[in-house]
Amino acid sequence: MTGKPGDGAWVFPPPPRVAIPIDGQTARFPVHRIYCIGQNYREHAREMGQSGREPPFFFAKPADAVCTEPVVPYPPMTGELHHEVELVVALGSGGRALTPADALSCVFGYAVGVDLTRRDLQAVAKQSGRPWTVSKGFDCSAPVSPIHAVERCGHPAAAEISLDVNGERRQAGSTAAMTWPVPELIAELSRYFELQAGDLIFTGTPPGVGPLRRGDRVACRVEGVASLEFEIA
Ligand code: MN
């Protein structure tokens, strides 16, 4: 927002147009909402102190938390920024109370993203029963690769997912290890929200989450789908 009271009229910027490149197309994917699922890989649930058998749960990030730039700023108010590499689902249509079969037909494509987390603030929120907004929904907390249409990459039900920091492997797993596979995850989410074209769903992270520091180079990929590289400024 620009403009000041007393200056005459308020001057607002044009409506935000958060959009992600689509591989091989000139069109861009307009982001509607960002939904995230917690603890969808049992081994990650265990490293977060759970048994791994608790049902996954949902949270959200603002649409403009998406970052497609090669440099991601280290956020203020944390000393413990963590990476969580995730398969990202991009919806081309939506609906309510979808069946898993219907849910899969809503998928436009896939990307790889990182659910950046202020782990120290998340720990405080967990202890005190407070919301995760400041630990999960901060500016540039959702770096994401270009989106690859299903026609080009298929549905990655058993794809390797990995994240390297400065050339060293930190996270590795297979999307086959999800507690809630993509069709079931979308169907469950659609019981709570009317899903729409433009929605992104971060599908959870495999084990190996850890800290990022300024200057770190992050490289992540979902085999056969997408890759993403960025530097922490
Ligand atoms: Mn996550």
Side-chain angles (χ1 to χ4, degrees):
M1 189 178 68
T2 58
K4 294 171 191 168
D7 252 13
W10 289 95
V11 179
F12 296 103
R17 294 266 194 278
V18 179
I20 301 172
I22 301 172
D23 182 61
Q25 299 185 26
T26 51
R28 291 166 69 88
F29 183 88
V31 179
H32 175 243
R33 290 181 183 168
I34 306 176
Y35 298 105
C36 304
I37 186 167
Q39 299 179 358
N40 198 23
Y41 290 76
R42 186 165 293 180
E43 295 306 317
H44 169 63
R46 287 203 185 110
E47 74 182 351
M48 298 306 291
Q50 308 298 312
S51 74
R53 288 190 299 273
E54 294 83 1
F57 54 87
F58 298 106
F59 58 95
K61 292 177 186 266
D64 64 358
V66 159
C67 180
T68 57
E69 301 298 318
V71 176
V72 174
Y74 194 100
M77 304 299 285
T78 184
E80 196 180 20
L81 177 69
H82 268 207
H83 55 76
E84 297 187 0
V85 64
E86 311 202 1
L87 173 69
V88 179
V89 179
L91 295 186
S93 65
R96 290 190 174 102
L98 301 167
T99 65
D102 287 342
L104 210 55
S105 69
C106 294
V107 176
F108 168 77
Y110 295 91
V112 61
V114 180
D115 169 15
L116 288 176
T117 303
R118 285 165 164 153
R119 193 70 74 200
D120 44 0
L121 299 191
Q122 187 195 33
V124 170
K126 283 180 173 178
Q127 281 165 14
S128 52
R130 290 179 186 157
W132 285 10
T133 308
V134 300
S135 60
K136 290 288 198 177
F138 51 91
D139 300 335
C140 301
S141 57
V144 68
S145 76
I147 291 167
H148 295 248
V150 165
E151 295 75 45
R152 293 169 72 110
C153 68
H155 293 284
E160 279 182 45
I161 180 168
S162 64
L163 179 142
D164 296 355
V165 179
N166 303 324
E168 188 176 310
R169 184 60 43 98
R170 294 274 187 88
Q171 289 190 261
S174 166
T175 59
M178 289 182 186
T179 305
W180 293 65
V182 168
E184 284 78 8
L185 192 169
I186 297 171
E188 181 67 9
L189 189 60
S190 75
R191 297 174 66 201
Y192 295 93
F193 301 97
E194 179 177 3
L195 301 180
Q196 295 193 29
D199 287 341
L200 296 179
I201 305 170
F202 279 62
T203 60
T205 196
V209 300
L212 291 170
R213 296 181 178 80
R214 290 174 181 83
D216 278 349
R217 293 205 54 83
V218 179
C220 49
R221 63 188 306 187
V222 176
E223 197 70 37
V225 177
S227 60
L228 169 67
E229 293 187 23
F230 60 88
E231 182 178 340
I232 302 293

